[in-house]
Amino acid sequence: MTIHNTEIAKIFQTYATLLEIEGANRFRVRAYRNAARTIEDQPQDVAIMIRAGKDLSELPGIGKDLAGKIKEIVDTGALGDLEKLKRTVPEDLADVTALPGLGPKRVQALHEHLRIDNLEDLERAAHAGKLRKLPGFGAKTEEKILKEIERRRAIGTRTKLMVAEQIARPLLEYLKAVKGVKQAIIAGSYRRRKDTVGDIDILVTAKRGSDVMKRFAAYDEVDEIVSQGTTRSTVILRSGLQVDLRVVPEASYGAALHYFTGSKDHNIAIRTLAVKKGLKVNEYGVFKGEERIAGKTEKEVYALFGLPYIAPELRENHGEIEAARKKRLPKLVTLDDIRGDLHAHTKATDGRYTAEEMVQAAKARGYDYLAICDHSKHVTIAKGLDAKRLARQIDKIDRLNEKLKGIRLLKSTEVDILDDGSLDLPDSILKELDLRVCAVHYQFGLSAEKQTERIIRAMDNRYFNILAHPTGRLMGEREAYAVDMQKLMEAALDRGCFLEVNAQPDRMDLNDVHCRMAKDMGLRLAISTDAHTTANLDYMRFGIDQARRGWLEPDDVLNTKSWKDLKALLARD
DNA sequence: GCCGTTTTCGGCCCGACTGTTTTCAGTCG
């Protein structure tokens, strides 16, 4: 059994939290948290890295001790120190610290004085009015805790980026219209374009005495005001999404935007640079002693450290500061670079529009080409095409192309990769197509070894061009299937195949980390919408977001190429 | 527990808000 990175990270996070409750040194706690993040950020399972003989202590934040503990988890499936600690600090207390307002100190007090071991105990004690009697607790805290437990029950934790956009954009417009507001922008992971966001951070500059805070709290979607001050307020909207609003003076806009965009790790790295230079960075600016020497723009803040502007998508402390220092930041791909979409469906299977309607929509977006990739017969639920129906579609597209001006329809398919790694359509029809997009739709439960083998076997077919939605995940609904991504990418590189970044807002696979992995290997990717409607073609920008987070430049993306150049890249002979 | 172009020991980012305090600890981002 292969232990996955998320499981190891989870063990370290739990251990860190329990240590914290126990009252351990906070830097020791932080070391476990940092290690958890480092492991989670690895595109490849560390279990596989260990098997390959890699020394994990070379990873940032992982020394000899933690490398040993990782190995222990990989070998045994558990961490002995954590198992031991659980005997004195109940594991479920980690869930209790996840409630806002309850940190390690207060949870420790709850455990010691009221023998609270988990959320259920907490809820019972709160209902019985026992919490308010503890020192440091009061009636208000008790009420808040009960409300929060209820809220958690009702909703999940992270929100998909597209959903966050739909909720946050109208709020931003509302705030911009408040008298005295000068600038208003959404910062945080939203601005970094992460595929999901935990909350929304809005930054505003306003004239003195502006009532923006009051108006914010009065927004008609506000369900609860968590806190309200003169420079910072937090509310929870009816959707369950938490929104933080920060107000800063104009002279601090850049520093504040930098600060609230994060990521936390990027900020810490910048502040550490500052400390070395005898400077101090906070949300109000960069300071030399008492004097503010930068802060109006982000560019100004970076310039002070001899760095060019770093795009928000790169700010994860994944080497961007080093790259900036060496003037080697990538020139990130943009929506304007995209010349076409290589994955779209029509009414022939589970799409909603005809090829003609789809191509007009693509033309309206300025594209040079659009690939029609309807499902193959194995996907019965989508009325997948067999060779005969696909042949008819090919004829139809040929006739359409004769009429089309300024754009070309590409004949393609989303052909199923069958259990044994063969493709769901015969070579005799595959060879008639301009390109073939291949995908797994069944048998998600295979072991990583078997799934990897199955897909690589499919790549051996000379008509295999692009692997669609390479992990099969549906965010919030279905986990990615187990697969060795490194091996898949190596196999693709060997055979002249490619992988897809699926821009559907609930798919987003490949994700940012995978994009970076492909970039480092020199493997080009397609960014495709998998559109089932004309409007879906607009999902392209979400794919671009993840590509940018993965450092991709225009040349790294297949569909920034002209059809002529793309055709040459796809040719496998 | 990690880390080092000042260091193998002594550091490890910084400020706002809340609630319960009589001047601040705890928590959060």
Side-chain angles (χ1 to χ4, degrees):
Chain A
M1 185 185 69
T2 301
I3 302 272
H4 294 297
N5 290 349
T6 49
E7 299 169 84
I8 301 171
K10 178 107 194 297
I11 288 174
F12 278 173
Q13 287 288 10
T14 305
Y15 191 53
T17 304
L18 298 191
L19 277 177
E20 221 174 4
I21 295 169
E22 194 195 40
N25 176 298
R26 64 200 176 99
F27 297 107
R28 190 171 157 229
V29 171
R30 187 186 295 173
Y32 281 99
R33 295 242 153 85
N34 287 340
R37 255 200 311 265
T38 296
I39 292 164
E40 223 159 15
D41 286 341
Q42 296 306 311
Q44 198 182 12
D45 276 325
V46 294
I48 292 170
M49 291 162 70
I50 291 173
R51 239 178 274 152
K54 192 169 156 70
D55 180 9
L56 294 185
S57 67
E58 284 168 19
L59 297 175
I62 295 183
K64 219 173 145 198
D65 183 272
L66 285 179
K69 290 197 163 87
I70 295 169
K71 186 159 187 320
E72 183 194 341
I73 296 169
V74 167
D75 288 344
T76 68
L79 179 63
D81 286 351
L82 173 60
E83 297 308 311
K84 213 160 109 193
L85 185 55
K86 278 185 198 168
R87 279 181 234 143
T88 48
V89 186
E91 187 181 14
D92 291 342
L93 284 180
D95 302 334
V96 180
T97 59
L99 289 181
L102 288 184
K105 293 284 189 316
R106 312 182 93 192
V107 168
Q108 158 64 19
L110 290 170
H111 177 59
E112 193 180 322
H113 298 296
L114 297 178
R115 283 201 240 139
I116 284 170
D117 287 355
N118 51 47
L119 281 175
E120 290 72 38
D121 292 348
L122 178 69
E123 194 173 16
R124 224 172 294 130
H127 275 304
K130 286 182 185 164
L131 299 193
R132 62 183 71 192
K133 291 179 189 133
L134 278 188
F137 287 77
K140 222 161 175 176
T141 307
E142 194 174 84
E143 260 167 56
K144 224 176 101 183
I145 285 170
L146 279 172
K147 207 165 168 199
E148 191 56 34
I149 290 175
E150 200 47 51
R151 196 174 78 81
R152 298 259 151 157
R153 219 169 257 149
I155 60 147
T157 43
R158 288 189 75 84
T159 306
K160 281 176 242 174
L161 183 58
M162 184 175 73
V163 176
E165 274 191 2
Q166 288 161 355
I167 296 168
R169 279 183 170 171
L171 171 55
L172 187 69
E173 292 313 309
Y174 168 87
L175 291 173
K176 277 182 177 168
V178 171
K179 202 162 166 262
V181 168
K182 292 186 173 164
Q183 290 146 302
I185 187 169
I186 305 171
S189 51
Y190 181 102
R191 184 164 179 248
R192 300 200 314 279
R193 308 308 290 163
K194 269 191 76 112
D195 50 15
T196 60
V197 302
D199 62 7
I200 298 285
D201 300 293
I202 301 181
L203 177 69
V204 156
T205 59
K207 281 194 189 137
R208 278 181 94 86
S210 161
D211 60 353
V212 62
M213 278 305 184
K214 227 171 91 193
R215 297 290 301 280
F216 175 57
Y219 186 57
D220 67 358
E221 283 185 32
V222 169
D223 184 47
E224 188 195 333
I225 299 167
V226 177
S227 69
Q228 194 174 6
T230 52
T231 69
R232 171 181 173 172
S233 297
T234 299
V235 303
I236 292 167
L237 301 180
R238 280 203 311 274
S239 58
L241 197 56
Q242 177 173 311
V243 185
D244 292 345
L245 178 66
R246 303 288 299 235
V247 182
V248 297
E250 253 189 302
S252 301
Y253 180 71
L257 184 54
H258 179 259
Y259 183 90
F260 295 115
T261 296
S263 67
K264 194 175 174 169
D265 288 345
H266 176 88
N267 286 353
I268 289 174
I270 290 288
R271 284 180 181 207
T272 306
L273 273 184
V275 170
K276 281 185 188 147
K277 286 191 138 200
L279 303 174
K280 186 179 73 171
V281 180
N282 60 27
E283 56 262 58
Y284 299 110
V286 184
F287 293 85
K288 192 171 200 167
E290 295 289 299
E291 186 198 359
R292 172 162 54 206
I293 53 176
K296 201 163 164 54
T297 65
E298 286 190 313
K299 212 175 159 187
E300 196 178 279
V301 172
Y302 282 118
L304 212 57
F305 300 105
L307 302 175
Y309 176 81
I310 299 175
E313 293 93 327
L314 297 179
R315 300 181 197 171
E316 299 289 345
N317 196 29
H318 286 172
E320 72 278 9
I321 293 172
E322 185 66 7
R325 192 184 292 135
K326 291 181 181 159
K327 307 279 182 261
R328 283 203 194 134
L329 281 174
K331 291 191 177 57
L332 298 178
V333 63
T334 69
L335 190 55
D336 284 342
D337 296 317
I338 297 297
R339 308 270 302 256
D341 199 325
L342 295 174
H343 187 168
H345 294 267
T346 73
K347 261 177 150 165
T349 58
D350 57 352
R352 298 247 303 275
Y353 295 85
T354 63
E356 203 157 8
E357 290 165 322
M358 291 299 286
V359 77
Q360 289 310 330
K363 195 177 170 185
R365 284 158 180 81
Y367 288 164
D368 299 335
Y369 48 82
L370 174 74
I372 299 299
C373 312
D374 275 313
H375 288 287
S376 61
K377 61 184 193 295
H378 190 59
V379 189
T380 47
I381 196 164
K383 305 174 296 183
L385 303 182
D386 58 14
K388 227 170 165 180
R389 285 176 66 207
L390 181 53
R392 281 207 294 277
Q393 188 181 55
I394 289 172
D395 282 344
K396 191 181 156 196
I397 291 175
D398 281 338
R399 285 200 303 278
L400 261 174
N401 269 333
E402 286 168 20
K403 287 192 290 181
L404 286 173
K405 286 207 178 76
I407 188 164
R408 167 196 284 269
L409 271 172
L410 302 180
K411 292 167 282 185
S412 183
T413 173
E414 181 178 357
V415 61
D416 230 57
I417 296 172
L418 302 177
D419 296 0
D420 63 356
S422 63
L423 299 179
D424 187 29
L425 288 166
D427 288 0
S428 56
I429 188 82
L430 291 176
K431 76 174 172 36
E432 300 298 323
L433 299 167
D434 291 314
L435 74 151
R436 305 100 203 146
V437 172
C438 309
V440 168
H441 290 107
Y442 299 96
Q443 289 276 8
F444 281 30
L446 294 182
S447 69
E449 286 76 11
K450 288 227 166 83
Q451 194 69 271
T452 308
E453 215 181 284
R454 171 195 191 190
I455 296 172
I456 291 176
R457 208 174 304 135
M459 285 181 181
D460 285 337
N461 184 316
R462 61 191 288 253
Y463 295 112
F464 188 117
N465 294 125
I466 299 172
L467 177 64
H469 41 73
T471 77
R473 74 163 174 176
L474 290 175
M475 286 192 283
E477 285 174 52
R478 185 174 71 203
E479 288 294 307
Y481 49 70
V483 75
D484 186 335
M485 192 56 73
Q486 173 97 20
K487 269 198 185 149
L488 275 192
M489 288 187 174
E490 279 165 3
L493 207 53
D494 269 0
R495 292 162 178 74
C497 304
F498 304 92
L499 274 67
E500 170 189 273
V501 176
N502 190 298
Q504 291 274 327
D506 56 351
R507 286 194 180 268
M508 301 276 202
D509 63 337
L510 307 171
N511 66 18
D512 48 2
V513 174
H514 295 134
C515 287
R516 181 74 184 276
M517 187 172 168
K519 165 93 183 176
D520 290 345
M521 288 171 61
L523 174 67
R524 286 193 175 91
L525 302 175
I527 306 176
S528 304
T529 65
D530 198 352
H532 286 69
T533 69
T534 49
N536 280 175
L537 291 170
D538 290 330
Y539 287 159
M540 185 61 77
R541 62 190 183 86
F542 293 112
I544 297 282
D545 288 336
Q546 296 318 303
R548 289 170 63 87
R549 287 179 55 77
W551 295 48
L552 298 199
E553 301 179 85
D555 186 49
D556 301 318
V557 178
L558 284 180
N559 45 321
T560 61
K561 310 283 178 191
S562 67
W563 169 234
K564 189 173 159 245
D565 292 345
L566 177 58
K567 201 171 167 182
L569 283 171
L570 292 172
R572 284 185 61 174
D573 296 330

